[in-house]
Amino acid sequence: MGVGTRYKAFISYSHKDQVFARRLHRQLETYNIPSRLVGRDTGNGAVPRRLTPIFRDREDLAATRDLTASVRDALANSDALIVICSPDAVASRWVNEEIRTYRQLNPLGTVLAAIVAGNPDADPDAGPDDGCFPPALLEPGVDGVRSEPVAADMRPQADGRRMALLKLVAGLIGVSLDQLIQRDIQRRQRRVTAITGASVVLSVIMATLTLFAISARSEAERRKAEAEDLIEFMLNDLRDNLEPVGRLDVLDAVGAKVIEYYDGQAGGAMTTDELGRRARAFHLLGVIDSAQGDLEHAYEHFRIAYQSTSRILAVEPMMGERVYEHAQSSYYVGYFAWRRGDLVTAEQRFGEYRDLAYRLIEINPDNPEWQTEVAFAHSNMGALFVAQRRWDDARVAATAALEQFRAIAADRPDNDPAWLEVSETLAWVASISEITDGREVAMGVLREQLDLYESGRVNPTDDWRVRRSVIAAEYALARLLIAPGSHTPPADLQMALEILEPASLEAAALIAHEPENLEWRLIGVRQRLWLAQAELHAGRVESARDAYVAATGFMAHEAWAAAEGARFAVSRLHASLIEGRIFAARGDLPAAQASIEHMLSALGQVDDWSGAVDHAPYYYAAGANTLADVLETQGQPAAARQIREEIVRRLDPVQDRIRSDSAAELRYARESLESELQTTE
């Protein structure tokens, strides 16, 4: 744009926020004002069809002593000023100078704030790390009154990006937010109803791209810019509209056309921006393939995207946005390699993702999104190690993720999502620690998790998802308390009952709140089954039966009957085990034997438990021991002895890699065999 151009807005930002500024600039300039608002007279003049042009300074002002003439001219000729607010903006000399200059040149101009980080409620006189509004933004206006700036809060826990964008657009065109939202929703609905024909239209548009080669250079450049604007629209706004309504066929056509366009150009002549769009198109195809269950093609498309982002990163190795894009490519290649069974490639790509995440925070240590990438990278490595049964490596990775989440949450207010990440990661660390460090260490970690809920840092009162996590932590602790089985100390048994009994009402409330939610129902089933187990250890058979009946009541639902996956299979095994033990405790030995034999048949006879997942060894050993007890009571000691010998044979080689309740069942089988031997002697 030349000097003297009239701009719809001027975006002022700290160069540490340049990634966000670039994204906001593109979103504003590509936003189509709803047609029913275009031309309407407002306090800001007639509503335009597009908010173009918008000025975003790209110069390094740190190299000058004052605002450049072009920047001052742009400020003077801008209808509005948008200030990207963050702790970095508070500390930026140039952001404050641009605000003051704009108000001097445009005393009645519109000033809008876009919050991306920091605390808008912080004391303006506090340090820059606390607030987000630059001091100049809070200075008195022409009337001498100091007022709170009109702000769009981009943070996920506040307005969110979409709503905040609409707030900014409404402020720029001079209409109420409600008017814009209603018109925006109507436009999106019209797009959805007409979208089935969009793929044909897009194909025709993209076909015109082949005419660039025969156009004059200036005309070719103009058309190329228009084509790339269209591609940006297809890969962003159009995708946002199509994904929620499941139009994967149209998205597939979009991705294919973008790739066709770029593949028609010489690969070596492509700019990094063009390579980036090509990578995003392949990424889009990978997402579609994954949603359709085509893992092979998904992996191939993500791998090609990875190659493109690798080339970009080689050219711009320290540009944060490029590092971030390649980190995402590394993650997706690793994830789909894992799903294909290629664990070597999965570990390599996950390791690269972790290293790139650390490079991101070297570039900008204060970027919360990039700090979170480090935590997620460690979580990915830990999950892979758990799948490989590399428990020590998994503990190291999970602990690193926990420490990173703790560091992120340290300065956050109560109920910030970062604290929920800390609490859920504690549960994961406890699960791994049970195998690597033992029952006591795992219980200590779970108590720390529950203390976090009690402290108010994570408040479950109005958040059903958090309430579910609290119940899960409670029954996990109760399971460990009674894990020694017949050797459970009375104090631990009493504590388990005190945890599980009041949690029953909360579990029932979860299910009543949302009966179709399988996650809530699964939590209720698990909680009741562990309560039944604790009641059996306490000798309260009828109370155990009541808890078991409640669990089966939760399972008597059509959604549960159709549920698949290991978690539901494990809960069905647990229910059969409790049923058999209740029958045995009530003296109905034939029924107990039938229940346990059915459970063991469902579990299957596995010769090598070294690769078993989750709690399968426990259900096998607990069921087999119960069956042996029943046979022994029925006068079949030889059959009982054979079953216990089989338990020892299977679990003894992996005793250092099984959970504490499995170890207790192994110990019980050994003790029973030793007792029988002593009796025989």
Side-chain angles (χ1 to χ4, degrees):
M1 299 291 175
V3 174
T5 300
R6 191 72 193 174
Y7 299 99
K8 297 296 182 185
F10 182 110
I11 299 178
S12 178
Y13 62 97
S14 162
H15 278 262
K16 290 185 179 180
D17 294 325
Q18 63 180 330
V19 172
F20 180 85
R22 185 184 301 115
R23 182 186 299 124
L24 178 61
H25 182 256
R26 178 179 57 78
Q27 289 175 331
L28 288 171
E29 285 205 331
T30 58
Y31 182 82
N32 286 314
I33 308 296
S35 58
R36 296 188 182 184
L37 294 177
V38 174
R40 178 178 298 182
D41 288 330
T42 70
N44 294 0
V47 175
R49 182 169 299 279
R50 298 283 285 271
L51 293 170
T52 57
I54 289 176
F55 185 90
R56 177 174 63 86
D57 171 41
R58 299 184 182 182
E59 297 183 40
D60 186 0
L61 294 179
T64 69
R65 299 188 59 175
D66 200 355
L67 294 177
T68 62
S70 62
V71 170
R72 292 181 64 86
D73 183 80
L75 285 166
N77 289 283
S78 293
D79 296 334
L81 176 69
I82 300 174
V83 183
I84 294 181
C85 299
S86 70
D88 292 319
V90 174
S92 171
R93 168 191 171 190
W94 300 113
V95 170
N96 284 280
E97 187 64 24
E98 286 171 347
I99 295 170
R100 294 187 181 101
T101 301
Y102 180 80
R103 284 178 164 169
Q104 178 186 1
L105 298 173
N106 298 277
L108 300 178
T110 301
V111 179
L112 304 172
I115 301 171
V116 299
N119 179 13
D121 298 321
D123 184 347
D125 298 324
D129 292 339
D130 297 324
C132 65
F133 294 130
L137 197 60
L138 303 175
E139 291 174 355
V142 293
D143 55 0
V145 177
R146 176 175 171 173
S147 60
E148 184 79 6
V150 177
D153 199 332
M154 299 280 185
R155 298 174 302 167
Q157 68 269 31
D159 294 329
R161 289 185 178 177
R162 182 68 188 177
M163 182 58 69
L165 177 67
L166 292 179
K167 281 188 175 182
L168 293 175
V169 173
L172 291 174
I173 65 178
V175 301
S176 71
L177 179 61
D178 285 344
Q179 284 181 304
L180 182 60
I181 289 175
Q182 290 299 321
R183 297 307 185 191
D184 189 73
I185 290 174
Q186 291 170 4
R187 181 184 62 189
R188 283 169 172 257
Q189 290 173 338
R190 289 195 300 271
R191 283 185 179 181
V192 170
T193 57
I195 211 67
T196 52
S199 58
V200 176
V201 176
L202 291 170
S203 298
V204 173
I205 294 174
M206 293 302 294
T208 63
L209 296 171
T210 58
L211 299 176
F212 288 158
I214 59 174
S215 301
R217 182 175 180 82
S218 60
E219 181 66 11
E221 289 299 324
R222 185 185 68 80
R223 293 198 178 190
K224 183 177 180 181
E226 291 176 352
E228 290 180 347
D229 285 344
L230 176 62
I231 290 170
E232 283 289 349
F233 166 74
M234 290 191 296
L235 291 177
N236 293 283
D237 292 8
L238 183 61
R239 177 178 176 177
D240 290 343
N241 287 329
L242 292 175
E243 276 189 319
V245 294
R247 290 312 308 267
L248 299 183
D249 53 339
V250 179
L251 282 177
D252 199 19
V254 167
K257 282 298 178 182
V258 174
I259 292 165
E260 179 183 337
Y261 166 58
Y262 281 121
D263 284 352
Q265 302 185 44
M270 292 173 67
T271 66
T272 54
D273 285 340
E274 291 167 341
L275 279 171
R277 293 188 193 98
R278 184 176 184 273
R280 282 156 53 202
F282 274 108
H283 180 98
L284 174 60
L285 293 180
V287 170
I288 295 168
D289 291 334
S290 174
Q292 295 174 338
D294 188 349
L295 299 187
E296 291 300 319
H297 281 96
Y299 175 72
E300 184 62 21
H301 285 139
F302 283 123
R303 191 182 62 79
I304 296 172
Y306 171 87
Q307 292 171 346
S308 291
T309 54
S310 294
R311 289 173 57 188
I312 297 170
L313 193 62
V315 177
E316 300 171 336
M318 295 308 293
M319 181 179 287
E321 188 174 3
R322 300 308 194 191
V323 177
Y324 177 81
E325 289 170 353
H326 189 51
Q328 300 308 301
S329 292
S330 299
Y331 163 74
Y332 277 104
V333 171
Y335 174 69
F336 281 92
W338 181 2
R339 293 186 64 180
R340 295 170 70 248
D342 184 358
L343 300 185
V344 173
T345 299
E347 186 172 348
Q348 290 173 344
R349 296 288 78 82
F350 278 177
E352 183 179 18
Y353 171 41
R354 178 197 58 209
D355 296 341
L356 289 168
Y358 274 111
R359 191 191 300 182
L360 284 172
I361 59 175
E362 287 177 6
I363 295 171
N364 185 355
D366 299 324
N367 187 316
E369 182 179 359
W370 293 354
Q371 292 170 352
T372 305
E373 288 298 313
V374 172
F376 287 154
H378 283 300
S379 294
N380 293 333
M381 292 295 291
L384 180 62
F385 292 145
V386 167
Q388 295 173 304
R389 294 312 183 248
R390 292 164 56 182
W391 296 110
D392 289 332
D393 291 335
R395 179 190 57 189
V396 171
T399 302
L402 175 61
E403 293 309 313
Q404 183 66 18
F405 279 129
R406 277 178 170 152
I408 295 169
D411 298 324
R412 302 289 181 89
D414 293 350
N415 293 319
D416 186 276
W419 285 109
L420 182 58
E421 293 286 0
V422 172
S423 67
E424 293 181 346
T425 307
L426 281 167
W428 188 41
V429 171
S431 177
I432 297 170
S433 297
E434 182 185 356
I435 294 177
T436 59
D437 301 299
R439 169 175 168 265
E440 293 296 331
V441 172
M443 287 196 298
V445 177
L446 286 170
R447 288 190 176 101
E448 184 180 352
Q449 182 188 8
L450 290 169
D451 287 344
L452 188 58
Y453 295 127
E454 288 291 331
S455 71
R457 285 292 194 187
V458 184
N459 188 350
T461 304
D462 299 319
D463 191 327
W464 290 92
R465 187 165 60 100
V466 177
R467 292 167 75 175
R468 170 198 176 279
S469 297
V470 174
I471 298 173
E474 288 175 336
Y475 76 63
L477 178 57
R479 181 188 72 81
L480 287 171
L481 285 165
I482 63 175
S486 59
H487 293 286
T488 299
D492 285 357
L493 178 56
Q494 182 60 33
M495 188 178 302
L497 289 168
E498 290 174 358
I499 291 172
L500 290 166
E501 286 171 345
S504 297
L505 295 176
E506 185 71 6
L510 275 178
I511 296 172
H513 171 67
E514 196 173 344
E516 301 296 326
N517 190 316
L518 273 175
E519 289 298 321
W520 294 176
R521 198 164 287 275
L522 180 63
I523 284 291
V525 169
R526 287 178 171 177
Q527 187 277 333
R528 287 299 203 283
L529 291 175
W530 285 112
L531 175 59
Q533 185 111 323
E535 297 283 16
L536 282 172
H537 285 316
R540 303 187 331 210
V541 179
E542 292 310 308
S543 295
R545 180 184 177 278
D546 291 343
Y548 165 76
V549 169
T552 56
F554 293 152
M555 296 166 70
H557 189 275
E558 59 183 12
W560 180 275
E564 298 180 353
R567 297 180 303 157
F568 299 97
V570 164
S571 293
R572 294 184 184 105
L573 289 172
H574 197 179
S576 296
L577 173 65
I578 296 298
E579 179 186 69
R581 286 183 164 178
I582 290 173
F583 279 133
R586 300 178 77 184
D588 190 347
L589 300 183
Q593 181 174 346
S595 292
I596 297 300
E597 286 177 344
H598 175 75
M599 186 204 82
L600 292 174
S601 175
L603 181 61
Q605 301 300 310
V606 181
D607 291 327
D608 179 12
W609 282 106
S610 60
V613 297
D614 297 323
H615 299 278
Y618 167 71
Y619 292 109
Y620 159 70
N625 269 326
T626 302
L627 180 59
D629 288 342
V630 169
L631 293 173
E632 209 164 47
T633 305
Q634 291 176 321
Q636 302 179 56
R641 181 176 63 254
Q642 185 177 2
I643 289 173
R644 297 195 206 281
E645 288 173 346
E646 187 68 7
I647 294 173
V648 174
R649 183 187 73 81
R650 292 189 175 197
L651 296 192
D652 193 61
V654 294
Q655 59 182 308
D656 60 336
R657 286 170 283 162
I658 57 178
R659 298 187 181 276
S660 48
D661 46 12
S662 304
E665 292 293 339
L666 174 59
R667 182 172 61 251
Y668 178 71
R670 284 176 177 152
E671 290 173 351
S672 298
L673 290 171
E674 291 170 1
S675 176
E676 181 186 1
L677 179 61
Q678 290 172 1
T679 301
T680 302
E681 291 176 348

